[in-house]
Amino acid sequence: LAFEARAVKLQPYAWIKVRNVRFISCHADYSPSVPTGLSCNFEEGLCSWYQDNSDNFDWSVVTGMDHTIGIGSSLVVDMWSPSLHGAFGRLVSYPQPPTPTERCLTFFYKLYGPNAGALNVKLIDGLGYEIILWTRSGAHGNEWHEAQCPVPQQLTTFQLTFEAVRSGFDGQVAIDDVAFVDRVCTIPRKCSFEGQKCGYSTVKWLHRSGHNNTTTGPKTDHTLGTELGYYMMVNTDADVFPTGTTAVLTSPVRPGTTKPECISFWYHMGGPNPGYFTVYLKLEKGERVPIFSESLGQGDDWRHGNSNISNGLIDWQLEFEVVGSGSRGSHVAVDDISVSAHPCEDQASKCSLENGMCSWSNIQNNLRDKLDWELTSAEAEQHYPVPLEDHTLGTEKGHFVFFPSSNRTAASQNAWLLNSHLPPTQATCLRFWAYKPDSSDCQLKIWRLSGGLIFELLVVNELGGPWRHFEVNITSSEEYQIVFEGIKGTSGFVALDDIEYTVGFDCATKVTEPTSKKPDNAGGIAASVIVVLLLIGTLVALLVFYLRTRPELEASSGATGFSNEGYVPDSTVSAGVSEREEE
């Protein structure tokens, strides 16, 4: 709770007073977080945390960009600071007593910039061994994200550590509103499976990395793009997973909400017939409902899946189920599961960037790029030069992705922005808006990525000012991805907004109906749940209407004809179609 006073106009004898603050009529079932020394919003110091003297640099208390009240304090590491030296900065808790059960460390974090580095949460046990509990790396947008980190039961004294890891000189890491609570974490908004399983329970799923996977499975994870990164996997080889065998990965319970949410994840299916992979929404009261399914081998690639869910205040879980098909040398893997507090945007083919980056993502392959594209808005930006407004909303609150040039990283370093895989096409139109000021010396290239090879589609060098619209026709005889590549110079930036692709239509065709392509499961559960509710509501309304009007109908049973109050003549509909076709 924060009381904030702002002076609209300076006056010599004006003041605001707040006093006698009380809480009354509190809900009987509400339990506040148990206050501990580790719970801290950093408004009055570091609480029960201290700077590690054995690291390379310290965290700084910065005012004006916190999560708590927006103008308060948070802990920050500015990677672009010229006074920063070395690779690690650690914030360590004072020793904590043993815990009889699992607890939850919650906090808000920010990883921002084209070379932001990484943020780790580690546990130091009574013997001094360090265990990674949670990790994030790369650009996450200029916004605060909520994190929930399970802390296992500890039989001896232990410590917790926040560790900022530097990978370059152009980014920022921040934390705020830390709480250490005596309960199990709920399903986190994002789970990368680095360090641990985020509370997911498993039946025949394995927690693996490419480094320790001696059998079948992805060689690298999706989060880090290296063999050291972790994911969840089912070995579906017939010798260990016969036909009909079932493996289930179940999330912790998450409270229901009235608003639609977007479930997003990355999956890897190797082998000619790896099995039947289905994602279910399981309501606390009711049957589970399928929201995504796949059964074909997908090659050595991580692929994106998503779906809208709408649960109507009923607590729910996710279930990732694999059923064996009796194949050889096959597997199914899952990584980077996220739950967004907004619907999936237009089945990923049209992205305004107002609710995240849709199916577009930075890559973690150092052979392809070294930096990241970043999501921001003019209102939130405090460090980099950016457009004064986005293209979608035309305001400073609107969002876009951008790639800055600076002298803090080597010239000609690049960043790739990729979409999910698209099917072979004879005609697909890519449309987007780009912004690059006259003073910018960075470049923008658009590529088609197929079979590990890239094919140039467009090069944008000179823009000079406001948002410009571009259209690119794409043809491909094989599956492909679209790549936006930013190449940095010494100053300025390039920005993108309102990215759209229309599969099956070239740029000269006016698209008025959805294209016929393989469904990507987005909106499946939302449609099923909402349609059922609408049908039930309609039936109830018709029944009530019939019961109320039955006496009138019986009284007027001798009348003939019908009322046309709800009748819409066919000519009106046809005219509407004709107008759309002419347009």
Side-chain angles (χ1 to χ4, degrees):
L1 177 66
F3 295 95
E4 178 180 305
R6 296 191 180 187
V8 178
K9 183 178 180 181
L10 294 179
Q11 299 180 13
Y13 302 105
W15 61 84
I16 298 174
K17 293 182 179 180
V18 177
R19 62 182 183 182
N20 295 339
V21 179
R22 294 185 299 158
F23 293 91
I24 59 174
S25 301
C26 295
H27 195 281
D29 295 333
Y30 174 71
S31 298
S33 301
V34 177
T36 72
L38 299 188
S39 298
C40 192
N41 62 9
F42 305 110
E43 299 298 330
E44 298 180 358
L46 302 182
C47 307
S48 289
W49 301 85
Y50 66 89
Q51 307 275 6
D52 187 358
N53 291 326
S54 65
D55 59 2
N56 304 124
F57 52 81
D58 285 344
W59 292 73
S60 301
V61 178
V62 175
T63 302
M65 54 157 281
D66 76 324
H67 172 265
T68 315
I69 57 176
I71 59 173
S73 299
S74 58
L75 275 188
V76 178
V77 174
D78 286 329
M79 302 299 181
W80 49 64
S81 172
S83 62
L84 215 62
H85 301 283
F88 301 96
R90 292 156 59 96
L91 186 74
V92 185
S93 74
Y94 288 106
Q96 300 296 303
T99 55
T101 58
E102 178 180 304
R103 293 194 175 185
C104 187
L105 178 70
T106 68
F107 58 95
F108 287 82
Y109 71 95
K110 180 183 287 191
L111 275 167
Y112 180 56
N115 201 346
L119 174 63
N120 299 325
V121 176
K122 294 182 176 181
L123 184 145
I124 306 174
D125 65 17
L127 299 177
Y129 292 108
E130 293 187 358
I131 304 169
I132 293 181
L133 300 180
W134 182 96
T135 185
R136 292 288 184 274
S137 62
H140 279 60
N142 190 10
E143 59 184 352
W144 290 99
H145 301 275
E146 181 184 6
Q148 297 199 34
C149 174
V151 179
Q153 173 189 8
Q154 298 299 307
L155 302 178
T156 61
T157 301
F158 67 97
Q159 293 174 278
L160 297 174
T161 300
F162 285 101
E163 180 182 64
V165 183
R166 186 175 188 173
S167 62
F169 304 89
D170 208 358
Q172 184 182 72
V173 179
I175 59 173
D176 200 8
D177 293 337
V178 178
F180 189 50
V181 294
D182 187 11
R183 61 169 173 81
V184 177
C185 295
T186 61
I187 177 174
R189 284 286 182 187
K190 296 183 180 180
C191 182
S192 65
F193 299 108
E194 305 301 327
Q196 55 181 320
K197 296 182 289 187
C198 307
Y200 280 73
S201 59
T202 62
V203 177
K204 293 185 171 59
W205 283 79
L206 304 174
H207 191 211
R208 288 288 184 266
S209 71
H211 179 70
N212 64 19
N213 198 1
T214 58
T215 57
T216 181
K219 298 302 180 184
T220 62
D221 76 327
H222 179 265
T223 311
L224 305 179
T226 71
E227 64 177 13
L228 299 178
Y230 280 81
Y231 48 80
M232 299 301 298
M233 188 199 79
V234 179
N235 182 356
T236 57
D237 187 276
D239 289 340
V240 296
F241 202 75
T243 302
T245 306
T246 300
V248 180
L249 176 69
T250 305
S251 76
V253 176
R254 188 169 183 86
T257 176
T258 57
K259 297 181 179 180
E261 295 182 300
C262 180
I263 304 298
S264 174
F265 55 92
W266 292 81
Y267 65 99
H268 195 290
M269 301 180 71
N273 187 18
Y276 303 95
F277 172 52
T278 308
V279 183
Y280 293 94
L281 174 70
K282 182 181 180 182
L283 300 177
E284 185 181 42
K285 298 178 181 179
E287 298 294 327
R288 61 179 190 170
V289 183
I291 60 176
F292 181 92
S293 63
E294 184 60 80
S295 60
L296 300 178
Q298 304 290 331
D300 191 21
D301 285 310
W302 285 98
R303 295 172 182 267
H304 183 252
N306 66 359
S307 179
N308 287 315
I309 65 168
S310 181
N311 45 65
L313 293 178
I314 301 176
D315 293 351
W316 56 275
Q317 294 173 282
L318 292 176
E319 288 188 351
F320 295 81
E321 181 183 84
V322 175
V323 179
S325 60
S327 61
R328 299 288 181 179
S330 58
H331 67 268
V332 177
V334 171
D335 201 4
D336 290 332
I337 303 171
S338 65
V339 182
S340 302
H342 50 73
C344 307
E345 189 161 357
D346 196 23
Q347 297 189 345
S349 63
K350 184 175 183 180
C351 188
S352 68
L353 301 169
E354 295 305 321
N355 292 318
M357 295 172 64
C358 309
S359 65
W360 297 89
S361 63
N362 290 293
I363 65 171
Q364 301 298 325
N365 186 345
N366 286 330
L367 299 178
R368 292 290 193 183
D369 72 355
K370 302 295 183 183
L371 305 174
D372 289 331
W373 289 81
E374 191 55 282
L375 179 70
T376 191
S377 67
E379 181 182 54
E381 189 53 56
Q382 297 180 354
H383 183 77
Y384 297 102
V386 295
L388 297 180
E389 58 186 29
D390 78 324
H391 176 263
T392 310
L393 305 179
T395 70
E396 63 178 10
K397 296 182 180 296
H399 291 81
F400 49 84
V401 292
F402 78 107
F403 178 66
S405 290
S406 71
N407 57 10
R408 289 183 292 273
T409 52
S412 300
Q413 286 192 347
N414 65 330
W416 274 27
L417 187 69
L418 270 72
N419 71 327
S420 54
H421 291 76
L422 295 176
T425 181
Q426 296 182 354
T428 290
C429 180
L430 169 67
R431 297 182 173 91
F432 64 94
W433 292 79
Y435 189 112
K436 187 164 83 77
D438 290 326
S439 58
S440 176
D441 58 354
C442 55
Q443 298 181 57
L444 174 63
K445 294 184 177 181
I446 293 87
W447 305 86
R448 174 174 62 87
L449 173 63
S450 301
L453 302 176
I454 55 174
F455 305 89
E456 187 175 280
L457 298 174
L458 179 68
V459 178
V460 179
N461 285 320
E462 300 298 331
L463 284 178
W467 289 98
R468 299 283 185 90
H469 186 244
F470 291 88
E471 295 183 345
V472 182
N473 283 310
I474 302 175
T475 59
S476 180
S477 60
E478 55 186 342
E479 192 178 54
Y480 69 98
Q481 292 174 277
I482 301 170
V483 181
F484 286 96
E485 181 184 34
I487 304 174
K488 72 175 293 294
T490 59
S491 64
F493 63 89
V494 60
L496 301 172
D497 201 0
D498 291 329
I499 307 171
E500 177 184 9
Y501 51 85
T502 54
V503 178
F505 294 87
D506 62 22
C507 298
T509 304
K510 178 71 174 180
V511 181
T512 58
E513 298 293 337
T515 59
S516 58
K517 63 177 182 177
K518 180 180 178 180
D520 59 4
N521 294 277
I525 186 61
S528 61
V529 174
I530 292 173
V531 167
V532 170
L533 293 176
L534 288 176
L535 287 173
I536 294 173
T538 303
L539 291 173
V540 171
L542 289 173
L543 179 60
V544 172
F545 177 80
Y546 172 76
L547 293 176
R548 289 182 175 179
T549 58
R550 183 176 180 181
E552 299 175 8
L553 292 173
E554 293 175 348
S556 59
S557 58
T560 60
F562 64 94
S563 169
N564 66 351
E565 290 179 355
Y567 173 68
V568 179
D570 291 339
S571 59
T572 304
V573 177
S574 301
V577 173
S578 299
E579 290 172 1
R580 288 198 299 270
E581 291 174 347
E582 290 174 1
E583 291 175 358

